Protein backbone atom coordinates (compact mmCIF):
# COMPACT_ATOMS: atom_id res chain seq x y z
CA UNK A 1 0.00 0.00 0.00
CA UNK A 2 1.42 3.34 -0.85
CA UNK A 3 1.47 6.02 1.68
CA UNK A 4 0.80 9.13 -0.04
CA UNK A 5 -1.38 10.14 2.63
CA UNK A 6 -2.24 13.45 2.38
CA UNK A 7 -2.26 12.46 0.06
CA UNK A 8 -4.47 14.99 -0.46
CA UNK A 9 -4.41 16.11 -3.95
CA UNK A 10 -4.86 19.64 -4.37
CA UNK A 11 -3.60 22.95 -5.17
CA UNK A 12 -4.60 26.35 -6.48
CA UNK A 13 -8.25 26.79 -7.03
CA UNK A 14 -11.26 25.18 -5.60
CA UNK A 15 -13.08 22.43 -7.42
CA UNK A 16 -15.94 23.16 -9.78
CA UNK A 17 -18.82 24.72 -7.93
CA UNK A 18 -16.73 25.57 -4.88
CA UNK A 19 -17.23 28.98 -3.37
CA UNK A 20 -13.79 29.14 -1.84
CA UNK A 21 -11.64 31.65 -3.75
CA UNK A 22 -8.79 30.19 -5.73
CA UNK A 23 -5.34 31.50 -6.00
CA UNK A 24 -1.74 31.58 -5.05
CA UNK A 25 -0.55 32.09 -1.53
CA UNK A 26 3.15 32.95 -1.58
CA UNK A 27 5.44 30.95 0.63
CA UNK A 28 8.42 32.29 2.49
CA UNK A 29 12.04 31.79 1.66
CA UNK A 30 13.70 29.87 4.44
CA UNK A 31 17.17 30.26 5.89
CA UNK A 32 18.22 26.62 6.03
CA UNK A 33 21.34 25.38 4.28
CA UNK A 34 20.88 23.87 0.83
CA UNK A 35 22.75 20.89 -0.55
CA UNK A 36 24.31 21.55 -3.95
CA UNK A 37 23.46 18.91 -6.57
CA UNK A 38 21.84 18.38 -9.96
CA UNK A 39 18.43 19.41 -8.63
CA UNK A 40 19.55 22.84 -7.51
CA UNK A 41 17.51 25.59 -9.15
CA UNK A 42 14.83 23.32 -10.56
CA UNK A 43 11.09 23.80 -9.92
CA UNK A 44 9.01 20.90 -8.62
CA UNK A 45 5.29 20.53 -8.06
CA UNK A 46 4.16 18.11 -5.34
CA UNK A 47 0.50 17.19 -4.94
CA UNK A 48 -0.75 15.84 -1.64
CA UNK A 49 1.95 17.89 0.03
CA UNK A 50 0.27 18.62 3.36
CA UNK A 51 1.45 15.46 5.08
CA UNK A 52 3.17 12.11 4.74
CA UNK A 53 5.22 11.32 1.65
CA UNK A 54 4.37 14.59 -0.06
CA UNK A 55 5.36 16.75 2.88
CA UNK A 56 8.70 15.08 3.52
CA UNK A 57 9.53 14.95 -0.19
CA UNK A 58 8.85 18.69 -0.46
CA UNK A 59 11.20 19.32 2.46
CA UNK A 60 13.97 17.19 0.97
CA UNK A 61 13.58 18.75 -2.47
CA UNK A 62 13.81 22.19 -0.90
CA UNK A 63 16.97 21.20 1.00
CA UNK A 64 18.47 20.30 -2.38
CA UNK A 65 17.81 23.76 -3.76
CA UNK A 66 14.56 22.99 -5.55
CA UNK A 67 11.86 25.66 -5.65
CA UNK A 68 8.66 23.92 -4.64
CA UNK A 69 4.99 24.40 -5.52
CA UNK A 70 2.83 22.71 -2.90
CA UNK A 71 -0.65 21.51 -3.89
CA UNK A 72 -3.24 20.17 -1.47
CA UNK A 73 -6.57 20.42 0.31
CA UNK A 74 -5.24 21.70 3.64
CA UNK A 75 -4.15 25.31 3.16
CA UNK A 76 -3.15 25.87 6.78
CA UNK A 77 -0.81 22.88 6.75
CA UNK A 78 0.57 23.89 3.36
CA UNK A 79 1.19 27.44 4.54
CA UNK A 80 3.09 26.18 7.58
CA UNK A 81 5.17 23.84 5.43
CA UNK A 82 5.93 26.54 2.89
CA UNK A 83 7.19 28.81 5.65
CA UNK A 84 9.63 26.14 6.84
CA UNK A 85 11.17 25.25 3.49
CA UNK A 86 14.78 26.17 2.69
CA UNK A 87 14.08 27.45 -0.81
CA UNK A 88 11.54 29.64 -2.56
CA UNK A 89 8.07 28.08 -2.38
CA UNK A 90 4.37 28.75 -2.70
CA UNK A 91 1.22 26.74 -2.15
CA UNK A 92 -2.10 26.25 -3.90
CA UNK A 93 -5.42 24.95 -2.67
CA UNK A 94 -7.27 22.73 -5.16
CA UNK A 95 -8.89 19.36 -5.68
CA UNK A 96 -6.76 17.31 -8.05
CA UNK A 97 -9.86 15.79 -9.60
CA UNK A 98 -10.97 19.22 -10.85
CA UNK A 99 -9.53 19.81 -14.31
CA UNK A 100 -10.37 23.51 -14.43
CA UNK A 101 -8.76 24.12 -11.06
CA UNK A 102 -5.61 22.17 -11.85
CA UNK A 103 -5.22 23.84 -15.24
CA UNK A 104 -5.36 27.17 -13.45
CA UNK A 105 -2.83 25.95 -10.91
CA UNK A 106 -0.43 24.92 -13.67
CA UNK A 107 -0.67 28.36 -15.28
CA UNK A 108 -0.13 30.13 -11.95
CA UNK A 109 2.84 27.93 -11.05
CA UNK A 110 4.44 28.70 -14.41
CA UNK A 111 3.81 32.41 -13.89
CA UNK A 112 5.17 32.29 -10.34
CA UNK A 113 8.34 30.29 -10.99
CA UNK A 114 8.87 30.71 -14.74
CA UNK A 115 9.02 26.99 -15.45
CA UNK A 116 8.24 23.51 -14.10
CA UNK A 117 10.89 20.78 -14.21
CA UNK A 118 9.32 18.06 -12.06
CA UNK A 119 5.77 17.08 -11.16
CA UNK A 120 5.14 14.47 -8.47
CA UNK A 121 1.58 13.11 -8.64
CA UNK A 122 1.44 11.96 -5.05
CA UNK A 123 -2.07 12.87 -3.91
CA UNK A 124 -4.12 9.91 -2.79
CA UNK A 125 -6.62 8.50 -0.33
CA UNK A 126 -7.49 4.99 0.81
CA UNK A 127 -10.32 2.96 2.24
CA UNK A 128 -10.69 -0.68 3.24
CA UNK A 129 -13.19 -3.39 3.98
CA UNK A 130 -15.29 -5.89 2.04
CA UNK A 131 -16.41 -4.58 -1.34
CA UNK A 132 -19.95 -5.88 -0.92
CA UNK A 133 -20.46 -3.81 2.24
CA UNK A 134 -18.34 -0.83 1.24
CA UNK A 135 -19.59 2.73 1.12
CA UNK A 136 -20.13 3.37 -2.59
CA UNK A 137 -19.21 7.05 -2.40
CA UNK A 138 -15.94 6.40 -0.56
CA UNK A 139 -15.03 3.56 -2.93
CA UNK A 140 -15.59 5.85 -5.91
CA UNK A 141 -13.64 8.67 -4.29
CA UNK A 142 -10.53 6.51 -3.96
CA UNK A 143 -10.64 5.90 -7.71
CA UNK A 144 -11.34 9.57 -8.43
CA UNK A 145 -8.47 10.96 -6.37
CA UNK A 146 -5.83 8.32 -7.01
CA UNK A 147 -6.45 7.59 -10.70
CA UNK A 148 -8.51 10.42 -12.18
CA UNK A 149 -6.71 13.02 -10.05
CA UNK A 150 -3.34 11.78 -11.29
CA UNK A 151 -4.46 12.02 -14.90
CA UNK A 152 -5.92 15.48 -14.33
CA UNK A 153 -2.62 16.58 -12.78
CA UNK A 154 -0.64 15.29 -15.76
CA UNK A 155 -3.01 16.82 -18.29
CA UNK A 156 -2.64 20.21 -16.60
CA UNK A 157 1.15 20.15 -16.31
CA UNK A 158 2.33 18.26 -19.41
CA UNK A 159 2.46 21.41 -21.58
CA UNK A 160 4.90 23.10 -19.19
CA UNK A 161 6.85 19.89 -18.68
CA UNK A 162 7.25 19.67 -22.44
CA UNK A 163 8.72 23.18 -22.45
CA UNK A 164 11.37 22.19 -19.90
CA UNK A 165 11.80 18.58 -21.10
CA UNK A 166 10.86 17.67 -17.56
CA UNK A 167 9.93 14.66 -15.47
CA UNK A 168 6.62 13.35 -14.15
CA UNK A 169 6.79 10.93 -11.22
CA UNK A 170 3.56 9.02 -10.62
CA UNK A 171 3.30 7.56 -7.13
CA UNK A 172 1.86 4.05 -7.27
CA UNK A 173 2.17 1.27 -4.71
CA UNK A 174 2.78 -2.37 -3.95
CA UNK A 175 -0.99 -2.47 -4.46
CA UNK A 176 -0.35 -1.97 -8.18
CA UNK A 177 1.67 -5.20 -8.29
CA UNK A 178 -0.37 -7.51 -6.10
CA UNK A 179 -4.12 -7.71 -5.37
CA UNK A 180 -5.18 -7.54 -1.74
CA UNK A 181 -8.55 -8.55 -0.28
CA UNK A 182 -10.33 -5.70 1.53
CA UNK A 183 -8.50 -3.12 -0.61
CA UNK A 184 -10.33 -3.35 -3.93
CA UNK A 185 -10.61 0.38 -4.60
CA UNK A 186 -7.04 1.13 -3.61
CA UNK A 187 -5.59 -1.74 -5.66
CA UNK A 188 -7.73 -0.82 -8.65
CA UNK A 189 -6.63 2.82 -8.48
CA UNK A 190 -2.94 2.05 -8.11
CA UNK A 191 -2.97 -0.62 -10.82
CA UNK A 192 -4.66 2.00 -12.97
CA UNK A 193 -2.09 4.73 -12.39
CA UNK A 194 0.75 2.29 -13.05
CA UNK A 195 -0.72 1.26 -16.42
CA UNK A 196 -1.62 4.84 -17.32
CA UNK A 197 1.89 6.09 -16.51
CA UNK A 198 3.50 3.35 -18.60
CA UNK A 199 1.30 4.35 -21.53
CA UNK A 200 2.09 8.02 -21.02
CA UNK A 201 5.84 7.36 -20.99
CA UNK A 202 5.66 6.04 -24.54
CA UNK A 203 3.44 8.91 -25.69
CA UNK A 204 5.46 11.87 -24.40
CA UNK A 205 9.01 10.58 -24.66
CA UNK A 206 9.53 12.20 -28.05
CA UNK A 207 8.69 15.54 -26.43
CA UNK A 208 11.60 15.08 -24.06
CA UNK A 209 9.35 14.39 -21.07
CA UNK A 210 10.30 11.41 -18.92
CA UNK A 211 7.75 9.52 -16.82
CA UNK A 212 8.49 7.43 -13.74
CA UNK A 213 6.42 5.19 -11.50
CA UNK A 214 7.17 5.01 -7.77
CA UNK A 215 6.28 1.90 -5.77
CA UNK A 216 5.89 1.96 -2.00
CA UNK A 217 5.00 -0.75 0.47
CA UNK A 218 3.41 0.00 3.85
CA UNK A 219 5.17 3.17 4.93
CA UNK A 220 4.76 5.03 8.19
CA UNK A 221 2.26 7.75 7.31
CA UNK A 222 -1.11 8.94 8.55
CA UNK A 223 -2.78 6.78 5.90
CA UNK A 224 -1.24 3.53 7.11
CA UNK A 225 -1.68 4.45 10.77
CA UNK A 226 -5.31 5.26 10.03
CA UNK A 227 -5.85 1.87 8.39
CA UNK A 228 -4.25 0.18 11.39
CA UNK A 229 -6.82 1.75 13.70
CA UNK A 230 -9.25 -0.89 12.47
CA UNK A 231 -8.52 -4.13 14.35
CA UNK A 232 -9.43 -6.48 11.49
CA UNK A 233 -7.44 -4.56 8.88
CA UNK A 234 -4.44 -4.42 11.24
CA UNK A 235 -4.55 -8.16 11.94
CA UNK A 236 -4.93 -9.02 8.27
CA UNK A 237 -1.88 -6.96 7.41
CA UNK A 238 0.14 -8.60 10.17
CA UNK A 239 -0.66 -11.98 8.66
CA UNK A 240 0.87 -11.05 5.31
CA UNK A 241 4.15 -12.84 4.51
CA UNK A 242 7.41 -11.09 5.30
CA UNK A 243 8.50 -8.52 4.15
CA UNK A 244 5.05 -7.25 3.13
CA UNK A 245 3.79 -7.33 6.73
CA UNK A 246 6.15 -4.61 7.95
CA UNK A 247 5.65 -0.88 8.24
CA UNK A 248 8.69 0.89 6.83
CA UNK A 249 10.12 4.23 8.00
CA UNK A 250 9.18 7.25 5.93
CA UNK A 251 12.61 8.86 5.65
CA UNK A 252 14.48 6.16 3.71
CA UNK A 253 11.48 5.68 1.40
CA UNK A 254 11.41 9.37 0.50
CA UNK A 255 15.19 9.38 0.03
CA UNK A 256 14.71 6.75 -2.68
CA UNK A 257 12.04 8.88 -4.35
CA UNK A 258 14.38 11.86 -4.26
CA UNK A 259 17.16 9.81 -5.86
CA UNK A 260 14.73 8.64 -8.52
CA UNK A 261 13.73 12.21 -9.30
CA UNK A 262 17.37 13.24 -9.60
CA UNK A 263 18.02 10.37 -12.05
CA UNK A 264 14.60 10.75 -13.72
CA UNK A 265 14.13 7.03 -13.31
CA UNK A 266 11.42 5.04 -15.08
CA UNK A 267 10.87 2.95 -11.93
CA UNK A 268 11.51 3.96 -8.33
CA UNK A 269 11.27 1.47 -5.46
CA UNK A 270 10.87 3.00 -2.02
CA UNK A 271 11.79 -0.35 -0.47
CA UNK A 272 14.44 -2.34 -2.32
CA UNK A 273 12.64 -5.69 -2.19
CA UNK A 274 9.76 -4.31 -4.26
CA UNK A 275 11.89 -4.58 -7.39
CA UNK A 276 11.83 -8.35 -7.03
CA UNK A 277 8.03 -8.38 -6.91
CA UNK A 278 7.94 -7.47 -10.59
CA UNK A 279 9.31 -10.90 -11.56
CA UNK A 280 6.60 -12.82 -9.66
CA UNK A 281 3.57 -10.60 -10.16
CA UNK A 282 2.08 -12.94 -12.74
CA UNK A 283 1.49 -15.71 -10.19
CA UNK A 284 0.21 -13.48 -7.40
CA UNK A 285 -3.49 -13.24 -8.35
CA UNK A 286 -3.94 -17.02 -8.24
CA UNK A 287 -1.91 -17.37 -5.05
CA UNK A 288 -3.73 -14.57 -3.26
CA UNK A 289 -7.06 -15.85 -4.54
CA UNK A 290 -6.42 -19.14 -2.72
CA UNK A 291 -4.82 -17.81 0.44
CA UNK A 292 -7.13 -14.79 0.65
CA UNK A 293 -10.21 -16.97 0.54
CA UNK A 294 -9.05 -18.82 3.65
CA UNK A 295 -8.28 -15.56 5.42
CA UNK A 296 -11.68 -14.11 4.61
CA UNK A 297 -13.34 -17.24 5.97
CA UNK A 298 -11.29 -16.94 9.14
CA UNK A 299 -12.27 -13.31 9.68
CA UNK A 300 -15.78 -13.66 8.26
CA UNK A 301 -17.74 -13.11 11.50
CA UNK A 302 -15.82 -9.88 12.16
CA UNK A 303 -15.94 -8.31 8.70
CA UNK A 304 -19.21 -6.50 9.28
CA UNK A 305 -17.51 -4.33 11.88
CA UNK A 306 -14.75 -3.04 9.60
CA UNK A 307 -14.75 0.75 9.45
CA UNK A 308 -16.26 2.23 6.30
CA UNK A 309 -15.07 5.39 4.58
CA UNK A 310 -11.65 6.90 3.93
CA UNK A 311 -8.83 6.30 6.38
CA UNK A 312 -6.31 8.55 8.08
CA UNK A 313 -6.00 12.29 8.46
CA UNK A 314 -5.71 12.76 4.70
CA UNK A 315 -8.98 10.90 4.18
CA UNK A 316 -10.62 13.01 6.86
CA UNK A 317 -9.38 16.18 5.14
CA UNK A 318 -10.82 15.02 1.83
CA UNK A 319 -14.20 14.20 3.37
CA UNK A 320 -14.27 17.53 5.22
CA UNK A 321 -13.49 19.46 2.05
CA UNK A 322 -16.18 17.68 0.04
CA UNK A 323 -18.72 18.26 2.80
CA UNK A 324 -17.84 21.95 2.92
CA UNK A 325 -18.25 22.31 -0.81
CA UNK A 326 -21.51 20.38 -0.82
CA UNK A 327 -22.91 22.72 1.82
CA UNK A 328 -21.78 25.79 -0.11
CA UNK A 329 -19.53 27.05 2.64
CA UNK A 330 -16.68 29.22 1.38
Amino acid sequence: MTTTDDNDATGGSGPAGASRPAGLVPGQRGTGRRVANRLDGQVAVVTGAARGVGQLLARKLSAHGVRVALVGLEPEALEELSGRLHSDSAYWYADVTDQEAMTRVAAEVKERFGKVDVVVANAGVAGGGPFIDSDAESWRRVIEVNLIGSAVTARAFLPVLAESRGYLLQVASLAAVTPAPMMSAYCASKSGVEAYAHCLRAEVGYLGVKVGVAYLSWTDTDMVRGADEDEVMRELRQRLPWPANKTYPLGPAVDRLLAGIERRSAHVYAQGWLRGMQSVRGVLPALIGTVGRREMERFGPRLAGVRKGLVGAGGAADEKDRSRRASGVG
Side-chain angles (χ1 to χ4, degrees):
M1 179 177 187
T2 187
T3 53
T4 58
D5 240 46
D6 42 343
N7 278 279
D8 52 325
T10 46
S13 324
S19 56
R20 182 175 192 135
L24 165 76
V25 186
Q28 302 174 8
R29 185 181 298 275
T31 58
R33 206 181 82 185
R34 300 190 312 182
V35 181
N37 65 90
R38 286 182 290 174
L39 293 174
D40 191 35
Q42 294 193 18
V43 175
V45 177
V46 181
T47 68
R51 62 184 69 251
V53 170
Q55 182 191 90
L56 185 56
L57 180 58
R59 289 168 53 193
K60 288 180 178 288
L61 286 167
S62 175
H64 281 69
V66 178
R67 294 178 287 163
V68 186
L70 309 168
V71 181
L73 287 176
E74 301 173 79
E76 293 82 7
L78 295 174
E79 180 180 23
E80 180 184 3
L81 174 61
S82 181
R84 291 190 288 113
L85 295 183
H86 303 305
S87 60
D88 189 19
S89 66
Y91 71 91
W92 282 259
Y93 161 87
D95 184 332
V96 292
T97 68
D98 184 340
Q99 188 68 67
E100 181 180 355
M102 291 302 291
T103 299
R104 188 178 305 119
V105 170
E108 291 177 359
V109 171
K110 169 71 182 303
E111 181 180 3
R112 171 67 165 77
F113 293 105
K115 64 173 182 173
V116 175
D117 300 291
V118 177
V119 173
V120 183
N122 165 73
V125 293
F131 173 77
I132 194 170
D133 294 324
S134 63
D135 175 71
E137 183 178 355
S138 296
W139 199 96
R140 186 182 299 109
R141 185 61 179 171
V142 173
I143 303 295
E144 288 174 348
V145 174
N146 298 1
L147 176 53
I148 305 303
S150 294
V152 165
T153 298
R155 190 181 299 276
F157 281 97
L158 275 174
V160 288
L161 285 177
E163 292 175 5
S164 66
R165 302 178 70 85
Y167 177 65
L168 170 68
L169 180 62
Q170 174 61 59
V171 176
S173 170
L174 171 62
V177 178
T178 177
M182 310 279 280
M183 293 176 56
S184 60
Y186 195 78
C187 289
S189 69
K190 291 303 182 178
S191 296
V193 295
E194 180 195 39
Y196 141 78
H198 288 331
C199 294
L200 191 63
R201 180 184 301 124
E203 291 184 22
V204 300
Y206 81 98
L207 297 173
V209 178
K210 294 187 176 181
V211 178
V213 180
Y215 300 87
L216 295 88
S217 184
W218 304 88
T219 306
D220 186 21
T221 64
D222 290 333
M223 179 186 285
V224 171
R225 289 191 294 270
D228 278 350
E229 290 177 1
D230 185 278
E231 183 180 11
V232 172
M233 295 295 292
R234 183 175 66 251
E235 290 183 29
L236 278 169
R237 187 162 75 86
Q238 291 170 347
R239 292 178 63 82
L240 292 172
W242 184 89
N245 60 351
K246 292 180 57 179
T247 297
Y248 293 86
L250 181 60
V254 173
D255 285 338
R256 285 177 174 262
L257 299 191
L258 183 67
I261 292 171
E262 189 169 11
R263 294 191 300 265
R264 299 194 170 188
S265 301
H267 300 89
V268 183
Y269 299 96
Q271 291 81 29
W273 60 270
L274 289 172
R275 184 185 301 272
M277 296 295 292
Q278 298 284 18
S279 63
V280 299
R281 64 188 298 171
V283 304
L284 293 176
L287 176 63
I288 292 170
T290 299
V291 176
R293 179 177 178 179
R294 293 200 297 265
E295 292 296 293
M296 291 300 95
E297 185 175 4
R298 177 195 299 269
F299 283 88
R302 301 168 59 191
L303 295 181
V306 174
R307 179 189 180 277
K308 295 179 174 60
L310 304 180
V311 301
D318 185 89
E319 291 177 338
K320 180 180 178 181
D321 188 74
R322 283 185 290 134
S323 176
R324 176 191 59 77
R325 287 186 272 121
S327 65
V329 177

